[in-house]
Amino acid sequence: MLITFEGIDGCGKSTQIKLLQKSLEEEGFNPKIFREPGGTKVSEEIRSLLLSSENTIDPITEALLFSSARSKLISEVVKPSLDKGDIVILDRFYDSTIAYQGYGRKSMSLSDLHKLNMIASHGLVPDITFYLKISIEQSEQRRKNLTKDRMENSGNDFYSKVITGFDDLSRQEKRFVVINALNSIEDISKKIKKKVMVTLGKV
């Protein structure tokens, strides 16, 4: 099973992924957790390039770099894990490319980005995508004392478009589970665990 988490920074993805990992381990599973971009040596190096505030990267190059990091992660780590029957949880996947590089950057047409995503993901489609929905203002409040990377310095107009992208995807893709990220950590965790257990046939 492939589970992905999406949403803008500050929505609580990392927290909920850790809680889901713990819940699955308590049920006897051994989930594999990876972040995008990242998860392999090459992908982590690309991540450093993409997030460094010292770099200026044009939108098309940005989209291609994210896709290159994804392809490396999927081919080397994710697909082999899924082939063994493991549960894989990704902190971001290609929906972020549509939201950030498509709606936010307008790097290329959404149609071309969808094609690029299918190539870079080696045809993988998530079984469940949890979209933790939060506003720009709420995100900024949660992250007000943290240093911003290159992506996070893109401005509110950019992030408004990104949120629109995620919202549109959540209406288009049945695999999306939209969660109000302002609910309590415990309530969100329970909802996520229940959905995963039902999908696994454990409830």
Side-chain angles (χ1 to χ4, degrees):
M1 173 184 285
L2 177 60
I3 303 168
T4 60
F5 280 75
E6 298 286 2
I8 65 172
D9 295 290
C11 68
K13 290 185 286 84
S14 298
T15 297
Q16 291 303 326
I17 287 172
K18 289 177 183 176
L19 291 171
L20 178 57
Q21 178 182 14
K22 181 180 178 181
S23 294
L24 287 170
E25 288 172 346
E26 290 172 349
E27 295 290 339
F29 296 99
N30 183 28
K32 303 296 189 295
I33 316 297
F34 306 103
R35 67 178 181 178
E36 275 218 8
T40 71
K41 183 177 184 296
V42 170
S43 298
E44 290 291 342
E45 290 174 353
I46 294 174
R47 180 187 183 89
S48 296
L49 288 171
L50 283 164
L51 300 186
S52 174
S53 298
E54 297 179 0
N55 294 329
T56 300
I57 303 174
D58 72 87
I60 292 177
T61 301
E62 182 180 280
L64 294 174
L65 282 171
F66 273 110
S67 296
S68 295
R70 175 170 303 126
S71 178
K72 188 71 169 173
L73 173 66
I74 297 303
S75 63
E76 282 194 3
V77 182
V78 174
K79 285 198 77 174
S81 295
L82 291 172
D83 288 343
K84 290 191 298 183
D86 292 334
I87 295 173
V88 177
I89 302 173
L90 295 182
D91 185 343
R92 298 199 182 283
F93 194 39
Y94 55 53
D95 296 306
S96 280
T97 295
I98 297 297
Y100 282 79
Q101 283 70 55
Y103 283 77
R105 299 285 196 227
K106 299 190 183 302
S107 60
M108 59 185 79
S109 71
L110 294 181
S111 175
D112 284 344
L113 272 181
H114 279 296
K115 292 175 183 175
L116 179 60
N117 281 343
M118 284 298 100
I119 294 170
S121 66
H122 297 253
L124 283 183
V125 177
D127 295 285
I128 309 171
T129 297
F130 292 107
Y131 167 34
L132 303 184
K133 185 173 171 59
I134 193 173
S135 71
I136 299 169
E137 293 75 22
Q138 293 154 352
S139 170
E140 289 184 338
Q141 179 62 30
R142 289 183 176 186
R143 299 178 58 80
K144 62 182 178 181
N145 296 320
L146 300 178
T147 302
K148 292 183 177 181
D149 60 35
R150 188 184 67 85
M151 295 296 295
E152 293 165 345
N153 275 320
S154 297
N156 285 358
D157 181 60
F158 169 78
Y159 272 96
S160 178
K161 294 173 183 175
V162 170
I163 290 173
T164 297
F166 280 130
D167 288 346
D168 285 353
L169 284 167
S170 72
R171 289 186 288 267
Q172 296 163 6
E173 302 287 348
K174 292 183 179 179
R175 60 184 163 82
F176 262 68
V177 178
V178 182
I179 296 175
N180 183 350
L182 293 186
N183 289 340
S184 71
I185 291 174
E186 294 77 14
D187 286 346
I188 294 173
S189 179
K190 287 178 182 177
K191 183 173 183 179
I192 289 172
K193 180 182 178 181
K194 181 178 180 180
K195 175 64 177 179
V196 172
M197 289 298 109
V198 167
T199 304
L200 287 169
K202 299 297 182 180
V203 176

